[in-house]
């Protein structure tokens, strides 16, 4: 992991967030949450994990469903091992400082920088004139999410690299224009997630595992019980060949590669290790082994998730405490930024 620049002497902090998009799945767990938990357990960082409900309204949404979607995401964080006594877990909209800093950053970021963002192009589709302005400035709010805690490290998937670069550009520009060159905001480093970062659909090895896939059998949801987990793995699409001996050969077979990747990510080993054990074996042998491993790791998460979701009061307590903790860090940062840009009071 690379270091923040030598002229930045603030604390090492981690921030990340996920949209409250309903049911989270194995891809979210292996691609993000598992990594959040290891950064938390590392002990070297103050960790802030938010549910980004302000980002959720950049696209059409149902206001009646949003609070429960936030609870559901928070429950998935906790069930996955994010521990409220070690990390701040909160809803982005509960900490007003995000919005305040985002406005200042909207005036620091340049139109040209945002026009290069590929995620906007993907999400806005063909008729971008009809996209919300919020969708366009989405990455500016994301930069505020990060820098309002002066976070030095952000665990994200590969697809967020461009937004992290924008965050660094905004920090540098702010430091230059308002900080007289002093490092007010750090240069944030992305922590790109490990081998589990890209979990593909169980029905199609070339598409990412996604909650919007019409087939429920394409993903393992974080609320699937042991029985469902095992069934979905047994039904997963494969090819008729036995597993190869090398990763090079495996990589030519997307479905096989995905299942081996899931096994490796769950057990914290590599694809090569898994092939060392199962190379030459058919799926008749590998799938039951994978189902066992998946149930062993995921069933406790799913049990805890289902317990939590039934106890809204407990989730709400965690979110309230997390928002308070987060505000204590964020408020002085916004106060500093307000002063530097010359705001009243
Ligand atoms: N844009 C991120 C995603 O789609 C979500 C997000 C919002 C985020 N704010 C963040 C991620 C801050 C990391 C840090 O995954």
């Amino acid at each position: 992991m690379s270091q923040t620049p030598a002229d930045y002497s603030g604390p090492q902090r981690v921030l990340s967030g996920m949209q409250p998009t309903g049911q989270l799945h194995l891809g979210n767990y292996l691609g993000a949450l598992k990594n959040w938990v290891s950064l938390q357990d590392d002990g070297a960082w103050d960790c802030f994990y938010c549910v980004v409900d302000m980002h959720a309204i950049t696209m059409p949404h149902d206001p009646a469903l949003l609070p429960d979607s936030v609870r559901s995401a928070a429950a998935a964080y906790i069930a996955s091992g994010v521990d409220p006594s070690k990390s701040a877990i909160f809803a982005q909209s509960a900490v007003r400082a995000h919005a305040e800093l985002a406005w200042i950053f909207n005036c620091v970021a340049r139109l040209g920088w945002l026009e290069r963002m590929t995620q906007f192009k993907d999400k806005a589709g063909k008729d971008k004139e009809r996209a919300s302005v919020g969708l366009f400035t989405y990455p500016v709010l994301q930069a505020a999410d990060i820098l309002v805690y002066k976070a030095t490290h952000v665990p994200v998937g590969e697809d967020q690299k461009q937004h992290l670069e924008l965050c660094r550009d905004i920090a540098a520009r702010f430091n230059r224009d308002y900080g007289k060159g002093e490092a007010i905001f750090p240069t944030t480093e992305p922590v790109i997630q490990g081998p589990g970062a890209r979990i593909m659909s169980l029905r199609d090895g070339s598409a990412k595992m996604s909650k919007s896939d019409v087939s429920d059998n394409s993903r393992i949801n974080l609320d699937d019980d042991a029985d469902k987990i095992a069934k979905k793995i047994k039904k997963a699409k494969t090819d008729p060949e036995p597993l190869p001996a090398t990763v090079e050969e495996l990589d030519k077979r997307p479905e096989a590669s995905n299942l081996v990747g899931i096994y490796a990510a769950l057990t914290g080993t590599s694809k090569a290790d898994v092939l060392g054990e199962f190379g030459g074996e058919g799926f008749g042998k590998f799938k039951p082994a994978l189902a066992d491993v998946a149930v062993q790791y995921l069933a406790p998460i799913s049990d805890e998730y289902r317990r939590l979701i039934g106890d809204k009061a407990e989730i709400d307590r965690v979110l309230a405490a997390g928002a308070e903790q987060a505000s204590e860090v964020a408020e002085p940062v916004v106060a500093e930024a307000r002063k530097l840009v010359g705001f009243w009071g």
Side-chain angles (χ1 to χ4, degrees):
M1 198 176 294
S2 52
Q3 296 297 306
T4 38
D7 65 342
Y8 183 76
S9 56
Q12 303 280 299
R13 291 199 184 118
V14 166
L15 172 125
S16 201
M18 256 186 233
Q19 288 214 32
T21 42
Q23 190 49 62
L24 297 184
H25 52 69
L26 180 67
N28 302 114
Y29 175 68
L30 291 176
L33 294 169
K34 197 166 181 277
N35 212 39
W36 295 10
V37 174
S38 22
L39 288 166
Q40 160 195 280
D41 292 344
D42 197 303
W45 329 84
D46 294 331
C47 297
F48 297 84
Y49 296 125
C50 60
V51 182
V52 293
D53 54 347
M54 290 162 69
H55 280 111
I57 72 163
T58 59
M59 298 284 272
H61 78 291
D62 182 346
L65 300 181
L66 194 53
D68 272 344
S69 300
V70 170
R71 290 190 183 99
S72 160
Y77 292 7
I78 302 166
S80 300
V82 180
D83 178 347
S85 73
K86 297 183 187 158
S87 301
I89 302 172
F90 57 99
Q92 178 193 32
S93 68
V95 181
R96 310 293 157 94
H98 290 240
E100 203 172 354
L101 190 62
W103 177 254
I104 295 176
F105 285 173
N106 268 324
C107 304
V108 171
R110 306 289 100 182
L111 205 58
W113 303 355
L114 288 178
E115 273 166 352
R116 287 194 286 274
M117 297 292 120
T118 55
Q119 194 173 64
F120 173 76
K121 289 177 198 157
D122 293 344
K123 286 201 180 181
K126 281 203 188 85
D127 195 1
K128 70 178 171 45
E129 296 300 309
R130 299 182 76 88
S132 73
V133 176
L135 186 67
F136 187 65
T137 65
Y138 175 120
V140 177
L141 176 59
Q142 184 166 348
D145 296 339
I146 296 165
L147 295 174
V148 84
Y149 304 100
K150 299 195 175 184
T152 50
H153 296 85
V154 175
V156 279
E158 196 73 38
D159 64 334
Q160 293 298 309
K161 258 176 122 171
Q162 200 185 28
H163 289 169
L164 261 289
E165 274 159 33
L166 183 90
C167 175
R168 294 156 70 108
D169 288 342
I170 291 175
R173 184 69 176 253
F174 185 98
N175 291 344
R176 194 195 78 188
D177 289 356
Y178 298 112
K180 302 196 178 71
E182 201 191 313
I184 306 291
F185 290 112
T187 309
T188 305
E189 297 289 343
V191 182
I192 299 295
Q193 277 134 17
R198 265 179 84 75
I199 301 299
M200 312 308 277
S201 155
L202 298 179
R203 310 295 309 159
D204 173 3
S206 66
K208 241 177 128 171
M209 185 175 284
S210 159
K211 69 132 208 162
S212 51
D213 194 314
V214 287
S215 163
D216 192 58
N217 282 331
S218 71
R219 63 187 162 262
I220 295 173
N221 299 311
L222 289 187
D223 68 349
D224 286 346
D225 61 17
D227 213 38
K228 243 188 180 170
I229 297 170
K231 273 198 189 123
K232 284 179 177 178
I233 289 186
K234 286 183 187 144
K235 275 196 188 148
K237 186 176 166 197
T238 46
D239 55 45
E241 305 298 316
L243 285 173
T246 67
V247 175
E248 289 69 45
E249 288 167 86
L250 180 71
D251 283 345
K252 292 178 210 144
R253 294 162 56 188
E255 283 83 17
S257 173
N258 187 38
L259 294 185
V260 170
I262 292 173
Y263 191 104
L266 283 169
T267 54
T269 56
S270 67
K271 284 184 181 175
D273 290 335
V274 180
L275 292 180
E277 198 181 336
F278 291 98
E281 301 284 1
F283 285 98
K285 172 122 194 250
F286 180 65
K287 274 185 169 180
L290 175 59
D292 283 350
V293 162
V295 167
Q296 181 193 335
Y297 284 88
L298 301 174
I301 295 177
S302 150
D303 290 347
E304 175 63 359
Y305 172 82
R306 280 178 283 118
R307 184 192 72 75
L308 276 165
I309 213 69
D311 188 352
K312 281 191 188 181
E314 183 179 343
I315 302 172
D316 291 3
R317 267 195 304 277
V318 168
L319 288 171
E324 199 174 316
Q325 226 176 309
S327 294
E328 270 168 34
V329 176
E331 284 303 330
V333 176
V334 170
E336 183 185 21
R338 288 176 56 95
K339 203 165 170 205
L340 287 168
V341 301
F343 278 177
W344 200 260

